Amino acid sequence: MIASPSLMASSSSYCVKIDGLRGTDTTAFIPISVASSICACQFSPKSLILSRPSINLKLKFVDALFQIPNGGFGIHCNRPRIFTKTLVVRAEANQIEDEEPVEVNKNHGSSKEDADLMQQQKSSQLAKRVVFGLGIGISAGGVVLTGGWVFSVALAAAIFAGSREYFELVRSHGIASGMTPPPRYVSRVCSVICALMPLLTLYKGQIDVSVTSAAFVVAITLLLQRGNPRFSQLSSTIFGLFYCGYLPSFWVKLRCRLTAPALNTGVGATWPVLLGGQAHWTVGLVATLISISSIIAADTFAFAGGKAFGRTPLTNISPKKTWEGALAGLTGCIATSVILSKIFSWPTSVLSAIGFGVLNFFGSLFGDLLESMIKRDAGVKDSGSLIPGHGGILDRVDSYIFTGALAYAFVRNLLPVYGV
């Protein structure tokens, strides 16, 4: 291996060409600068420490020994060590005059500046999450209190956005590489059908026939499409109708169809008559408020508990979740359910309030894990980018998808006289 130096008055620059390293057949060029005053016939020993993540070489300037014309020099290469963080080069000459090393600094940025920049980015991201989180929470609270068609239309819009994200995840490279995704026109039609389900639930009360009919039409469409229909197309599409449309529609049943008055609720006595008065506070409204608040508390306590005490991983699906965080979330969910049951005087039994809190926690936990599994298979971190600082709609509502159906079944079938 040979390199030719280019000499200047105050510094020497070399471009080293390295051929045929052991175990490789590649050629590398390494620029070297020696900050000293030298000539072509006399070298002073210099040590250069280069911040270059490459190999470990020892270069010996042997101009007199090899008698290379035009000031050339030979290179001795020891056994290379790959993946080292520094490259140490020593220049040796016939006459030793100076042993002080010359360090070539190739650091393009200060670690302190990088840390400050990263801290600023984290602070900005946290502020964005807080601002949009508060905005979403206040808006959602107003929608839940209003109920009726306002609640159903807002839910339909969220379902439409969430179903679009779901079908994009199905079409992503991580999932599509192992299966055949449904055609785009089928996924778009399914998104519209999912968005119509909460509206049908509001005015019809039951959507079982509608969902079955929609699933049948989608199945026929997939079977009659051009090309080679696959079962994976049918399974992912039918699951999308169930996951994105049918399950969230139970929130309409819970909020708008359970119209029994919450007679013991003290808040209703002071509620303005123009906004519905006492009759506005139904079992459905109180149950919805307690359920949503319990889910928020579960997520908050689980995050805080996991940060402070998390040591034992909960599942491989979501590595950041821990058993300690899950227990903290369960505790916060039950505590919130019991406290709000005392405030709203519903349900009247403390045991029922505890059971309601446990049900809300497990519904939110497994809803979150299911969405994490879908994202893991898709190979993405977030389901979308609709909400700044939070990701997509599915990232925010995954804990609520199963919980509405579980809460409705609990109040409708397990609580005597709806818990009043």
Side-chain angles (χ1 to χ4, degrees), residues 56-68:
N56 197 3
L57 299 176
K58 182 177 181 182
L59 308 185
K60 292 185 177 180
F61 296 89
V62 287
D63 178 50
L65 296 178
F66 280 53
Q67 297 181 354
I68 301 173

PDB file of all heavy atoms in Angstrom, residues 56-68:
ATOM      1  N   ASN A  56      -8.015   0.374  12.986  1.00  0.00           N
ATOM      2  CA  ASN A  56      -6.831   0.736  13.761  1.00  0.00           C
ATOM      3  C   ASN A  56      -5.596   0.411  12.923  1.00  0.00           C
ATOM      4  O   ASN A  56      -5.329  -0.758  12.632  1.00  0.00           O
ATOM      5  CB  ASN A  56      -6.825  -0.045  15.065  1.00  0.00           C
ATOM      6  CG  ASN A  56      -5.876   0.561  16.066  1.00  0.00           C
ATOM      7  OD1 ASN A  56      -5.278   1.597  15.796  1.00  0.00           O
ATOM      8  ND2 ASN A  56      -5.749  -0.089  17.214  1.00  0.00           N
ATOM      9  N   LEU A  57      -4.867   1.449  12.514  1.00  0.00           N
ATOM     10  CA  LEU A  57      -3.720   1.279  11.635  1.00  0.00           C
ATOM     11  C   LEU A  57      -2.484   1.883  12.282  1.00  0.00           C
ATOM     12  O   LEU A  57      -2.566   2.825  13.059  1.00  0.00           O
ATOM     13  CB  LEU A  57      -3.958   1.957  10.281  1.00  0.00           C
ATOM     14  CG  LEU A  57      -5.130   1.444   9.443  1.00  0.00           C
ATOM     15  CD1 LEU A  57      -5.263   2.294   8.198  1.00  0.00           C
ATOM     16  CD2 LEU A  57      -4.917  -0.003   9.062  1.00  0.00           C
ATOM     17  N   LYS A  58      -1.315   1.383  11.904  1.00  0.00           N
ATOM     18  CA  LYS A  58      -0.047   1.997  12.286  1.00  0.00           C
ATOM     19  C   LYS A  58       0.705   2.319  11.012  1.00  0.00           C
ATOM     20  O   LYS A  58       1.024   1.434  10.226  1.00  0.00           O
ATOM     21  CB  LYS A  58       0.774   1.056  13.164  1.00  0.00           C
ATOM     22  CG  LYS A  58       2.084   1.689  13.632  1.00  0.00           C
ATOM     23  CD  LYS A  58       2.838   0.756  14.552  1.00  0.00           C
ATOM     24  CE  LYS A  58       4.127   1.393  15.030  1.00  0.00           C
ATOM     25  NZ  LYS A  58       4.909   0.484  15.891  1.00  0.00           N
ATOM     26  N   LEU A  59       0.929   3.618  10.778  1.00  0.00           N
ATOM     27  CA  LEU A  59       1.591   4.076   9.559  1.00  0.00           C
ATOM     28  C   LEU A  59       3.035   4.460   9.891  1.00  0.00           C
ATOM     29  O   LEU A  59       3.280   5.209  10.841  1.00  0.00           O
ATOM     30  CB  LEU A  59       0.862   5.273   8.962  1.00  0.00           C
ATOM     31  CG  LEU A  59      -0.637   5.101   8.734  1.00  0.00           C
ATOM     32  CD1 LEU A  59      -1.185   6.336   8.034  1.00  0.00           C
ATOM     33  CD2 LEU A  59      -0.920   3.873   7.900  1.00  0.00           C
ATOM     34  N   LYS A  60       3.993   3.980   9.130  1.00  0.00           N
ATOM     35  CA  LYS A  60       5.400   4.328   9.335  1.00  0.00           C
ATOM     36  C   LYS A  60       5.914   5.011   8.082  1.00  0.00           C
ATOM     37  O   LYS A  60       5.854   4.447   6.985  1.00  0.00           O
ATOM     38  CB  LYS A  60       6.234   3.088   9.626  1.00  0.00           C
ATOM     39  CG  LYS A  60       5.920   2.444  10.969  1.00  0.00           C
ATOM     40  CD  LYS A  60       6.847   1.290  11.254  1.00  0.00           C
ATOM     41  CE  LYS A  60       6.585   0.698  12.621  1.00  0.00           C
ATOM     42  NZ  LYS A  60       7.484  -0.424  12.929  1.00  0.00           N
ATOM     43  N   PHE A  61       6.412   6.243   8.224  1.00  0.00           N
ATOM     44  CA  PHE A  61       7.009   6.974   7.116  1.00  0.00           C
ATOM     45  C   PHE A  61       8.433   6.445   6.913  1.00  0.00           C
ATOM     46  O   PHE A  61       9.315   6.641   7.760  1.00  0.00           O
ATOM     47  CB  PHE A  61       7.033   8.470   7.411  1.00  0.00           C
ATOM     48  CG  PHE A  61       5.673   9.060   7.537  1.00  0.00           C
ATOM     49  CD1 PHE A  61       5.020   9.106   8.755  1.00  0.00           C
ATOM     50  CD2 PHE A  61       5.015   9.561   6.416  1.00  0.00           C
ATOM     51  CE1 PHE A  61       3.763   9.642   8.860  1.00  0.00           C
ATOM     52  CE2 PHE A  61       3.754  10.105   6.513  1.00  0.00           C
ATOM     53  CZ  PHE A  61       3.130  10.143   7.737  1.00  0.00           C
ATOM     54  N   VAL A  62       8.660   5.773   5.809  1.00  0.00           N
ATOM     55  CA  VAL A  62       9.956   5.130   5.578  1.00  0.00           C
ATOM     56  C   VAL A  62      10.499   5.578   4.229  1.00  0.00           C
ATOM     57  O   VAL A  62      10.832   4.785   3.370  1.00  0.00           O
ATOM     58  CB  VAL A  62       9.815   3.592   5.650  1.00  0.00           C
ATOM     59  CG1 VAL A  62       9.605   3.136   7.079  1.00  0.00           C
ATOM     60  CG2 VAL A  62       8.660   3.114   4.784  1.00  0.00           C
ATOM     61  N   ASP A  63      10.561   6.868   4.048  1.00  0.00           N
ATOM     62  CA  ASP A  63      11.003   7.449   2.782  1.00  0.00           C
ATOM     63  C   ASP A  63      12.430   7.009   2.453  1.00  0.00           C
ATOM     64  O   ASP A  63      12.743   6.653   1.324  1.00  0.00           O
ATOM     65  CB  ASP A  63      10.913   8.961   2.864  1.00  0.00           C
ATOM     66  CG  ASP A  63      11.399   9.622   1.587  1.00  0.00           C
ATOM     67  OD1 ASP A  63      10.927   9.195   0.526  1.00  0.00           O
ATOM     68  OD2 ASP A  63      12.203  10.546   1.684  1.00  0.00           O
ATOM     69  N   ALA A  64      13.311   7.005   3.473  1.00  0.00           N
ATOM     70  CA  ALA A  64      14.713   6.674   3.221  1.00  0.00           C
ATOM     71  C   ALA A  64      14.894   5.194   2.926  1.00  0.00           C
ATOM     72  O   ALA A  64      15.760   4.799   2.155  1.00  0.00           O
ATOM     73  CB  ALA A  64      15.566   7.077   4.420  1.00  0.00           C
ATOM     74  N   LEU A  65      14.085   4.358   3.561  1.00  0.00           N
ATOM     75  CA  LEU A  65      14.238   2.920   3.396  1.00  0.00           C
ATOM     76  C   LEU A  65      13.748   2.458   2.027  1.00  0.00           C
ATOM     77  O   LEU A  65      14.406   1.697   1.327  1.00  0.00           O
ATOM     78  CB  LEU A  65      13.491   2.184   4.508  1.00  0.00           C
ATOM     79  CG  LEU A  65      14.019   2.419   5.927  1.00  0.00           C
ATOM     80  CD1 LEU A  65      13.144   1.676   6.924  1.00  0.00           C
ATOM     81  CD2 LEU A  65      15.468   1.934   6.043  1.00  0.00           C
ATOM     82  N   PHE A  66      12.557   2.901   1.645  1.00  0.00           N
ATOM     83  CA  PHE A  66      11.963   2.431   0.401  1.00  0.00           C
ATOM     84  C   PHE A  66      12.468   3.206  -0.813  1.00  0.00           C
ATOM     85  O   PHE A  66      12.306   2.768  -1.929  1.00  0.00           O
ATOM     86  CB  PHE A  66      10.435   2.551   0.489  1.00  0.00           C
ATOM     87  CG  PHE A  66       9.814   1.432   1.255  1.00  0.00           C
ATOM     88  CD1 PHE A  66      10.250   1.124   2.528  1.00  0.00           C
ATOM     89  CD2 PHE A  66       8.781   0.676   0.700  1.00  0.00           C
ATOM     90  CE1 PHE A  66       9.677   0.103   3.233  1.00  0.00           C
ATOM     91  CE2 PHE A  66       8.205  -0.356   1.419  1.00  0.00           C
ATOM     92  CZ  PHE A  66       8.651  -0.633   2.696  1.00  0.00           C
ATOM     93  N   GLN A  67      12.981   4.402  -0.582  1.00  0.00           N
ATOM     94  CA  GLN A  67      13.477   5.256  -1.647  1.00  0.00           C
ATOM     95  C   GLN A  67      12.413   5.466  -2.733  1.00  0.00           C
ATOM     96  O   GLN A  67      12.628   5.235  -3.914  1.00  0.00           O
ATOM     97  CB  GLN A  67      14.748   4.660  -2.264  1.00  0.00           C
ATOM     98  CG  GLN A  67      15.901   4.572  -1.286  1.00  0.00           C
ATOM     99  CD  GLN A  67      17.147   4.010  -1.918  1.00  0.00           C
ATOM    100  OE1 GLN A  67      17.131   3.580  -3.077  1.00  0.00           O
ATOM    101  NE2 GLN A  67      18.259   4.027  -1.173  1.00  0.00           N
ATOM    102  N   ILE A  68      11.217   5.870  -2.223  1.00  0.00           N
ATOM    103  CA  ILE A  68      10.127   6.135  -3.157  1.00  0.00           C
ATOM    104  C   ILE A  68      10.319   7.519  -3.730  1.00  0.00           C
ATOM    105  O   ILE A  68      10.529   8.475  -2.989  1.00  0.00           O
ATOM    106  CB  ILE A  68       8.777   6.044  -2.440  1.00  0.00           C
ATOM    107  CG1 ILE A  68       8.634   4.634  -1.851  1.00  0.00           C
ATOM    108  CG2 ILE A  68       7.619   6.347  -3.364  1.00  0.00           C
ATOM    109  CD1 ILE A  68       7.416   4.471  -0.986  1.00  0.00           C
TER     110      ILE A  68
END
